[in-house]
Amino acid sequence: MRQLPLFEELVAGVTMQTTGLARETIAGLYEGDRLAAALQDARRRTLGIYSHLDLAKATVPCIAIVNPPVWELSHIAWFQEYWCLRYDRDAERVVKPPLLPAADDLFDSRSVAHDLRWTLPYPPLETLRAYMADTLDATLAALAATPEDQRYFFRLALLHEDMHGEALLMTLQTMGWPLPPLGAQSPPTASGRITRDVRFSGGEFEQGATGRERAFVFDNEKWAHTVQVAPFAMAESPVTQREYAQFVDDGGYAQTQFWTAEGWRWRESMRLEAPRHWCLEGSRWLARHFSHWAPIDPTAPMMQVSLHEAHAFCRWARRRLPTEAEWEFAARNGGRDDRYPWGDDPHPGGCLDFRFSGPSAAVMDPGYSASGLRQMIGGVWEWTSTPFSPYPGFQPDPYREYSEPWFHSHHVLRGGSFATRARLVHNRFRNFYLPDRTDVFAGFRTCALDAP
């Protein structure tokens, strides 16, 4: 597919990695002009992800896990304009019209049903391109006039765009389209090693955000509350592709005893005999990564499996998934206040931000985790056994639709993948998806059934 000319100007230079911003401390990110630079960086990344596609011809099927490319790109701009330029927090309502007159009827995800997004009367691409540029310019101008302590919505728009950036990469994977020209390196192969359990004595800790953070806090992270964790033993690294292949080769997808009733119904409906993106060539398993098929990486984390598949593996292996509280307790090494498992600054080894085009055990140095756990953030999102639910005393933030509609139907994932922005994720960050999703860059780690 050729690059669409009307996006050439906007995506100029996107192949250059913005490592300076990625490694900026979270506290420093929102100071001075750095938030403006981060917003520009996010937009370059957004446009760069689809810069190798002809958006006038690129089509995706109407399925629940993707959006039409033009809709999603325009929605990102609409969201930024809505909250940064049009919403009055004191009045708790929108007080200005959109720059594009029809934008609310086209790009508001709260009111535009998913399936309608394939049939809407979109303006010409040139108009949408101008809308993306104009709303960003206006946002940057408004930011410059906004005091440091009143930048909540600018931070929200930044992280919202970061989340959609990963969703755009997930769409490329779902569609089997090529990697985007972002300069990501091929993930290195690690030497094999036996995974051991790291034992935790348990205890009481404060789960969730404390209110002392200088970084942005989403409403579902609020607020810290006391949780008692029993002693447990957790695998030092996520389940690998080799380990998962052993489960598949042992007939794991054909034996009902390994699956929950819901999981078995899902497997049958999907007609799966192996992971969705795997195929057997002779006696070896191949995995599709974007548009490329290659032998699985035995030491790399297993990726793009549903919660149902994670539970089935655990039953086969006589293990279990960690709870959300156990995962956070372990990542924080028993409840410490560090932002990441290795400390307060983003990982110097480059395991986030799509510096590598996939997860790799070789990118994760075990010395960066105080507890001895490896790959807690920056390999794959990790399923937990915990349904997504509000913390005690939950109150929705102005963007109510971020968390509240998904409570009790979704499940919590923790960590962050190779494609996640470093400024988004941390030890307390909660991701959430439906248990049947296989398009997420998600894997899992396991815990021993019995307490140590």
Side-chain angles (χ1 to χ4, degrees):
M1 301 180 184
R2 63 179 177 82
Q3 179 172 303
L4 190 65
L6 69 91
F7 279 91
E8 286 179 352
E9 179 183 339
L10 285 179
V11 301
V14 296
T15 57
M16 298 179 62
Q17 290 285 3
T18 52
T19 54
L21 279 171
R23 296 183 184 183
E24 182 62 65
T25 61
I26 297 301
L29 176 63
Y30 303 129
E31 296 173 352
D33 297 329
R34 291 176 179 174
L35 181 53
L39 286 164
Q40 293 170 306
D41 164 71
R43 184 57 51 86
R44 284 193 296 270
R45 172 63 63 89
T46 296
L47 295 170
I49 292 171
Y50 278 175
S51 64
H52 59 319
L53 305 179
D54 184 339
L55 295 184
K57 297 180 179 179
T59 59
V60 298
C62 183
I63 56 177
I65 60 175
V66 297
N67 280 299
V70 168
W71 184 91
E72 191 155 10
L73 292 172
S74 301
H75 164 76
I76 292 168
W78 174 88
F79 185 96
Q80 185 178 87
E81 181 196 19
Y82 184 95
W83 292 109
C84 297
L85 303 176
R86 301 173 56 200
Y87 185 83
D88 185 313
R89 191 164 191 175
D90 292 332
E92 297 184 346
R93 62 183 177 88
V94 167
V95 296
K96 297 179 180 178
L99 294 177
L100 181 68
D104 288 345
D105 295 329
L106 295 173
F107 306 123
D108 186 347
S109 59
R110 299 167 300 183
S111 59
V112 180
H114 177 268
D115 289 2
L116 289 179
R117 298 168 193 174
W118 274 260
T119 59
L120 293 171
Y122 295 115
L125 284 174
E126 291 84 354
T127 302
L128 296 179
R129 177 249 190 186
Y131 177 62
M132 294 188 73
D134 292 346
T135 51
L136 178 60
D137 288 345
T139 296
L140 294 173
L143 174 65
T146 302
E148 299 275 349
D149 62 351
Q150 297 178 28
R151 294 182 165 188
Y152 170 89
F153 289 115
F154 298 95
R155 300 173 188 177
L156 172 66
L158 170 66
L159 300 182
H160 172 266
E161 184 154 357
D162 285 342
M163 291 180 188
H164 273 279
E166 186 163 351
L168 298 180
L169 289 168
M170 289 160 52
T171 297
L172 293 181
Q173 167 66 26
T174 297
M175 297 302 300
W177 288 340
L179 282 163
L182 296 179
Q185 304 174 50
S186 297
T189 301
S191 58
R193 56 179 288 170
I194 297 174
T195 299
R196 65 182 181 89
D197 277 349
V198 175
R199 299 182 180 276
F200 294 89
S201 58
E204 193 174 88
F205 83 115
E206 295 296 306
Q207 180 178 333
T210 63
R212 298 187 298 271
E213 294 85 358
R214 294 179 63 188
F216 187 92
V217 176
F218 285 98
D219 57 11
N220 64 55
E221 300 165 23
K222 302 175 184 177
W223 287 110
H225 54 288
T226 302
V227 175
Q228 183 71 38
V229 177
F232 65 100
M234 178 183 284
E236 67 172 342
S237 58
V239 169
T240 66
Q241 295 178 28
R242 176 195 289 123
E243 291 168 332
Y244 200 86
Q246 291 170 347
F247 163 63
V248 179
D249 290 338
D250 197 37
Y253 279 72
Q255 301 183 58
T256 59
Q257 68 265 31
F258 300 137
W259 297 77
T260 64
E262 179 186 0
W264 186 255
R265 287 193 297 271
W266 170 82
R267 189 212 64 80
E268 287 195 309
S269 70
M270 296 289 290
R271 300 180 181 178
L272 290 179
E273 298 178 358
R276 182 180 174 193
H277 299 289
W278 282 23
C279 74
L280 199 59
E281 181 182 75
S283 60
R284 65 175 184 170
W285 286 105
L286 304 182
R288 181 175 63 75
H289 192 56
F290 295 92
S291 62
H292 179 62
W293 286 92
I296 64 172
D297 180 347
T299 63
M302 185 59 199
M303 185 173 68
Q304 293 182 304
V305 288
S306 68
L307 177 63
H308 302 310
E309 291 165 299
H311 277 309
F313 176 93
C314 287
R315 287 192 179 185
W316 171 81
R318 296 180 176 84
R319 306 275 290 181
R320 65 173 178 85
L321 292 178
T323 66
E324 178 183 19
E326 288 172 333
W327 196 100
E328 183 174 322
F329 185 89
R332 292 171 53 194
N333 195 26
R336 296 191 336 185
D337 281 339
D338 293 345
R339 182 170 178 83
Y340 303 104
W342 51 82
D344 283 329
D345 293 330
H347 196 299
C351 60
L352 291 155
D353 288 298
F354 203 59
R355 289 195 184 89
F356 293 91
S357 61
S360 168
V363 183
M364 320 297 178
D365 186 332
Y368 289 128
S369 175
S371 66
L373 295 171
R374 304 170 61 239
Q375 308 169 49
M376 291 290 279
I377 294 179
V380 291
W381 290 102
E382 298 184 15
W383 287 107
T384 74
S385 63
T386 303
F388 182 51
S389 60
Y391 285 164
F394 170 82
Q395 293 291 327
D397 282 343
Y399 177 34
R400 301 180 66 96
E401 292 75 18
Y402 176 67
S403 303
E404 198 170 36
W406 319 117
F407 287 143
H408 310 298
S409 61
H410 290 49
H411 265 70
V412 174
L413 299 92
R414 288 301 196 103
S417 82
F418 65 95
T420 308
R421 300 311 301 262
R423 59 188 167 224
L424 173 65
V425 289
H426 50 85
N427 287 336
R428 295 175 173 87
F429 183 81
R430 309 173 78 197
N431 201 356
F432 45 95
Y433 279 101
L434 289 168
D436 59 358
R437 292 289 291 266
T438 59
D439 59 316
V440 186
F441 300 127
F444 59 100
R445 74 179 64 224
T446 65
C447 288
L449 290 177
D450 299 323

